[in-house]
Amino acid sequence: MQDEPGSTAGPARTDLTADCARCFGLCCVALPFTASADFAIDKAAGSPCRNLRTDFGCGIHTELRQRGFNGCTVYDCFGAGQKVSQLTFGGEDWRSGDREHSRLMFDVFHTVRQLQELLWYLTQALEMSAARPVHPELRRVLDRTEALTRLERQELAGLDVSEVRQDVNVLLLRTSELARAGLGRGRKKERRGADLMGARLGGADLRGANLRGAYLIAADLTGADLRSADLIGADLRDADLTDADLTGALFLTQPQLNAAKGSAGTRLPASFTRPGHWTP
């Protein structure tokens, strides 16, 4: 069960979603690409993508999949781009200074992106009524993590996120256990980190399953019941979610859905957007 959205303090989900209009194309410059099924070209970290316009928009945004840039369509900075661009650097873009300036901005973006992702998971956890026993601790860690995203640029560039991630992970594991506890022992299938690439799981009852970090690449999940399944870190690239039920799935992200296949019959939590490439 989940509380009504907005029932807890903390960043709104809209603040944890990329707003490209307020960003200086940081992901299109800071990140490296390797020519593959996800990217049509090689691109070094710190080098602008050839499709990046001078106004920081993408010149082929509406044709990314057709042009071989699937990886761009599944990426989400969880709001780090606009926070770094507008808050940390106060509207200064990566072209407004020397090479050290741009390098610092890219390093900060990498750090803040990790922190924003942790905030996304913490926010989801606070919306779960079953996790009320750990809500005070979740709020404390969320507030601390949010405060870190507002550090000065030099502090952010040198920040080690691993300790924060460890503290968050302990709480998210406890949240998952509490959220899945009411389903009974028979429901709590342990598939953490499992290699399920190409697995035939059509129609499978996966309610309450622990699929944290599972490899579900190209898995057949048509009609599968994934309610209350823990999907944090699960790789859903090319997984077929046609007519699957993901309502109430734990720690689901929009990038996971964007990387998968689905249909109009796929049931999603209300806060998620049905990807445009899914079958009508």
Side-chain angles (χ1 to χ4, degrees):
M1 293 278 300
Q2 294 188 343
D3 296 327
E4 290 298 316
S7 62
T8 61
R13 288 204 181 208
T14 52
D15 296 329
L16 299 173
T17 304
D19 184 352
C20 298
R22 298 175 58 221
C23 177
F24 299 131
L26 292 180
C27 64
C28 305
V29 187
L31 305 179
F33 301 164
T34 300
S36 62
D38 292 321
F39 296 103
I41 59 173
D42 287 323
K43 188 192 81 64
S47 175
C49 174
R50 68 187 186 192
N51 298 309
L52 184 66
R53 301 190 311 237
T54 56
D55 64 354
F56 305 112
C58 175
I60 61 168
H61 180 69
T62 59
E63 301 175 336
L64 284 167
R65 285 185 171 270
Q66 297 91 313
R67 298 285 195 94
F69 288 86
N70 287 8
C72 296
T73 68
V74 304
Y75 179 79
D76 194 327
C77 70
F78 295 96
Q82 66 261 28
K83 180 170 279 189
V84 172
S85 297
Q86 304 301 329
L87 179 64
T88 315
F89 282 81
E92 301 174 19
D93 68 59
W94 48 272
R95 302 176 305 189
S96 62
D98 58 18
R99 189 172 181 178
E100 288 303 314
H101 168 81
S102 59
R103 183 177 299 153
L104 176 62
M105 196 170 193
F106 301 152
D107 287 345
V108 169
F109 172 67
H110 176 68
T111 298
V112 175
R113 196 271 179 193
Q114 295 179 74
L115 294 172
Q116 290 288 109
E117 183 177 11
L118 295 178
L119 287 173
W120 171 267
Y121 291 131
L122 289 166
T123 300
Q124 280 202 47
L126 276 167
E127 292 174 352
M128 300 177 193
S129 57
R132 282 199 179 98
V134 292
H135 275 188
E137 186 68 6
L138 284 166
R139 289 193 184 94
R140 185 187 69 79
V141 174
L142 183 145
D143 289 343
R144 187 185 73 170
T145 305
E146 170 65 22
L148 290 175
T149 69
R150 298 176 180 274
L151 291 174
E152 295 298 320
R153 57 186 73 172
Q154 293 289 353
E155 293 179 281
L156 280 166
L159 183 67
D160 183 358
V161 185
S162 60
E163 182 178 345
V164 183
R165 187 180 299 279
Q166 183 176 355
D167 290 344
V168 171
N169 192 49
V170 169
L171 282 172
L172 296 183
L173 280 168
R174 180 59 180 148
T175 297
S176 176
E177 291 170 355
L178 289 168
R180 295 180 297 122
L183 296 173
R185 305 184 77 179
R187 296 286 185 199
K188 295 167 63 176
K189 305 172 182 66
E190 289 296 323
R191 299 289 188 274
R192 183 175 181 177
D195 183 354
L196 297 170
M197 292 190 291
R200 297 179 179 179
L201 297 168
D205 182 357
L206 295 170
R207 283 176 290 173
N210 183 358
L211 293 166
R212 296 170 65 93
Y215 296 94
L216 287 158
I217 301 170
D220 176 12
L221 290 163
T222 56
D225 191 341
L226 290 156
R227 288 176 293 173
S228 296
D230 187 340
L231 295 172
I232 193 168
D235 194 336
L236 294 173
R237 282 178 293 170
D238 290 325
D240 192 345
L241 296 173
T242 298
D243 296 334
D245 190 348
L246 290 98
T247 54
L250 309 181
F251 305 122
L252 181 68
T253 66
Q254 189 66 47
Q256 286 175 304
L257 293 177
N258 293 346
K261 300 174 183 177
S263 68
T266 305
R267 299 181 63 187
L268 301 176
S271 58
F272 289 85
T273 301
R274 195 174 304 275
H277 67 276
W278 281 15
T279 304

